[in-house]
């Protein structure tokens, strides 16, 4: 599997695999443009909302400031009872030239809300960007992502993700997300999500891949996208540029891990067995999508499932499979959790 990792100097303010696995589906997903087509690539921004009135206007403003302007906004609202829908309608009235579509979400959590957008075949574009309601996008976010994704051959699923700058409720910078050094791949995706959903942009082939599997019970949409794109032999592009100002506040469903204490809490969750439940859900979803995995990914998944069942030899099986987390301490915690039946 060929993985691209971009190491450009980040600014706080400013997996091609052999087709043996995914080839059965990839040939059906090819999307071709005319050779002389100079039309800017279209982007469907997929935003899931729920009671987001406090920070939504600032996020909408950052979308309007994008240097790549050929985009449409698709919002799935999960039953907001505050002023969220009025803010969206006001935005629509003030920016009549910006395509904005609002639908009702499934009201089964944020992951299902995002998946409902991914699976909505009324939404058509060249690329698809996940968007949270409370962040701030850097002006070049879409342009940079599309530039990185442009070289991926048609029909090959691709996912772009990046680091984030963490801000407090008032917008003050408080840090940056970790810089992951090891390659993103399926062996990592099985036990760790490194692709922040608020930074993700996927191509049409990746969107069709996720749509084929459909609505499944997953932990998070971003982790699921990382699992499926890497597992199917697609390409993961990890950029160390901070493309999003990720707001940390009391209503965050998923927070950042900038501090040592926050990272320790994540390791602590691993050792308490929280990830065991998450792994159960992810594996159940992957079983439904096994026909889309490469032979290599399928073998790794089987070893992972075996290691979880045979805890006495679990660390050895994890080592043999090549499964890993991004840092030595979290990888060690994974092995300890496996030996304690907490993985």
């Amino acid at each position: 599997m060929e993985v691209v990792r971009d190491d450009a100097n980040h600014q706080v303010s400013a997996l091609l695999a052999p087709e043996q696995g995914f080839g059965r589906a990839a040939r059906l997903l090819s999307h071709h443009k005319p050779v002389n087509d100079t039309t800017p690539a279209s982007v469907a921004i997929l935003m899931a909302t729920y009671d987001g009135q406090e920070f939504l206007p600032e996020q909408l403003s950052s979308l309007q400031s994008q240097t790549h302007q050929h985009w449409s906004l698709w919002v799935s609202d999960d039953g907001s009872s505050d002023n969220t829908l009025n803010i969206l309608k006001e935005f629509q009235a003030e920016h009549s030239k910006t395509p904005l579509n609002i639908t009702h979400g499934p009201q089964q959590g944020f992951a299902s809300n995002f998946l409902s957008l991914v699976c909505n075949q009324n939404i058509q574009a060249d690329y698809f960007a996940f968007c949270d309601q409370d962040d701030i996008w850097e002006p070049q976010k879409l342009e940079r992502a599309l530039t990185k994704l442009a070289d991926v051959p048609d029909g090959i699923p691709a996912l772009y993700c990046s680091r984030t700058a963490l801000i407090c409720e008032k917008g003050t910078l408080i840090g940056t997300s970790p810089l992951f050094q090891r390659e993103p791949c399926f062996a990592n995706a099985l036990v760790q999500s490194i692709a922040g959903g608020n930074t993700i942009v996927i191509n049409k082939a990746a969107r069709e891949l996720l749509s084929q599997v459909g609505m499944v019970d997953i932990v998070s949409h971003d982790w699921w996208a990382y699992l499926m794109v890497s597992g199917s032999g697609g390409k993961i592009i990890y950029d160390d540029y901070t493309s999003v100002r990720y707001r940390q506040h009391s209503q965050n469903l998923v927070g950042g891990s900038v501090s040592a204490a926050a990272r320790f809490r994540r390791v602590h969750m691993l050792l308490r067995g929280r990830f065991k439940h998450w792994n159960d859900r992810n594996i159940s979803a992957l079983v439904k999508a096994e026909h889309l995995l490469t032979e290599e990914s399928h073998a790794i998944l089987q070893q992972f499932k075996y290691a979880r069942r045979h805890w006495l030899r679990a660390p050895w099986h994890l080592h043999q499979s090549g499964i890993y987390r991004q840092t030595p301490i979290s990888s060690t915690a994974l092995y300890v959790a496996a030996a304690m039946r907490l993985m």
Side-chain angles (χ1 to χ4, degrees):
M1 179 179 295
E2 176 187 347
V3 183
V4 174
R5 181 181 182 281
D6 187 83
D7 286 318
N9 292 326
H10 78 277
Q11 302 175 10
V12 169
S13 299
L15 301 163
L16 275 174
E19 289 192 359
Q20 56 187 2
F22 186 75
R24 289 167 289 186
R27 288 185 289 273
L28 301 177
L29 303 178
S30 184
H31 173 63
H32 297 281
K33 284 188 174 184
V35 175
N36 296 322
D37 187 1
T38 57
T39 304
S42 60
V43 181
I45 299 175
L46 310 180
M47 176 186 284
T49 60
Y50 176 72
D51 287 351
Q53 66 176 19
E54 185 173 2
F55 305 115
L56 181 57
E58 197 168 8
Q59 174 67 301
L60 292 173
S61 178
S62 75
L63 301 187
Q64 282 295 117
S65 299
Q66 289 299 296
T67 56
H68 181 89
Q69 280 290 305
H70 197 52
W71 54 265
S72 58
L73 177 59
W74 295 78
V75 179
S76 178
D77 185 77
D78 238 3
S80 293
S81 58
D82 65 356
N83 205 38
T84 294
L85 290 175
N86 288 332
I87 291 172
L88 290 168
K89 291 174 182 176
E90 290 173 5
F91 178 83
Q92 189 173 38
E94 294 174 5
H95 305 279
S96 57
K97 294 183 179 180
T98 299
L100 170 58
N101 303 270
I102 304 173
T103 61
H104 296 290
Q107 298 190 37
Q108 296 176 356
F110 73 97
S112 291
N113 201 9
F114 272 107
L115 273 188
S116 71
L117 286 166
V118 171
C119 296
N120 185 347
Q121 293 303 309
N122 291 323
I123 306 175
Q124 294 297 322
D126 298 315
Y127 298 95
F128 303 82
F130 295 147
C131 181
D132 290 350
Q133 64 187 7
D134 47 9
D135 299 325
I136 301 173
W137 283 13
E138 298 296 349
Q140 294 180 329
K141 176 190 179 341
L142 287 180
E143 180 182 358
R144 186 178 180 96
L146 267 56
T147 298
K148 302 293 183 184
L149 288 164
D151 292 333
V152 180
D154 291 337
I156 301 298
L159 180 153
Y160 167 93
C161 61
S162 77
R163 297 180 74 189
T164 59
L166 276 62
I167 59 175
C168 68
E169 292 191 28
K170 296 181 179 180
T172 302
L173 178 68
I174 57 177
T176 56
S177 62
L179 173 60
F180 297 118
Q181 300 286 355
R182 304 187 69 177
E183 290 184 343
C185 63
F186 187 67
N188 175 229
L190 274 175
V191 292
Q192 185 177 22
S193 175
I194 69 167
N198 52 0
T199 72
I200 286 178
V201 181
I202 58 176
N203 65 1
K204 190 170 184 177
R207 183 278 180 95
E208 293 303 322
L209 171 69
L210 296 174
S211 296
Q212 282 190 55
V213 186
M215 299 294 293
V216 285
D217 178 28
I218 52 173
V219 177
S220 63
H221 59 292
D222 46 5
W223 196 353
W224 180 240
Y226 180 28
L227 280 163
M228 284 305 303
V229 174
S230 62
S232 66
K235 180 173 290 189
I236 304 295
I237 302 171
Y238 174 70
D239 191 353
D240 69 359
Y241 168 75
T242 53
S243 67
V244 171
R245 280 173 265 176
Y246 181 15
R247 199 183 303 270
Q248 306 294 291
H249 55 86
S250 57
Q251 280 73 49
N252 272 132
L253 293 176
V254 180
S257 55
V258 62
S259 68
R263 296 178 195 180
F264 176 79
R265 284 195 297 271
R266 288 177 180 264
V267 172
H268 184 56
M269 283 195 298
L270 176 64
L271 294 178
R272 286 179 58 195
R274 174 77 63 86
F275 286 129
K276 184 178 188 300
H277 173 62
W278 291 355
N279 288 332
D280 289 340
R281 293 170 64 186
N282 283 343
I283 290 173
S284 294
L286 283 169
V287 167
K288 298 178 181 179
E290 280 187 292
H291 61 290
L292 296 171
L293 302 180
T294 64
E295 292 182 9
E296 177 186 6
S297 296
H298 185 271
I300 293 173
L301 176 60
Q302 296 309 309
Q303 285 185 295
F304 184 52
K305 291 161 65 177
Y306 188 87
R308 298 181 77 227
R309 291 194 305 268
H310 300 80
W311 60 276
L312 285 175
R313 302 190 68 191
W316 184 84
H317 285 292
L318 287 177
H319 177 73
Q320 288 296 108
S321 67
I323 292 172
Y324 63 88
R325 289 173 63 87
Q326 286 287 329
T327 64
I329 188 171
S330 61
S331 290
T332 300
L334 174 67
Y335 279 63
V336 173
M340 296 173 64
R341 298 184 178 181
L342 298 175
M343 178 187 70

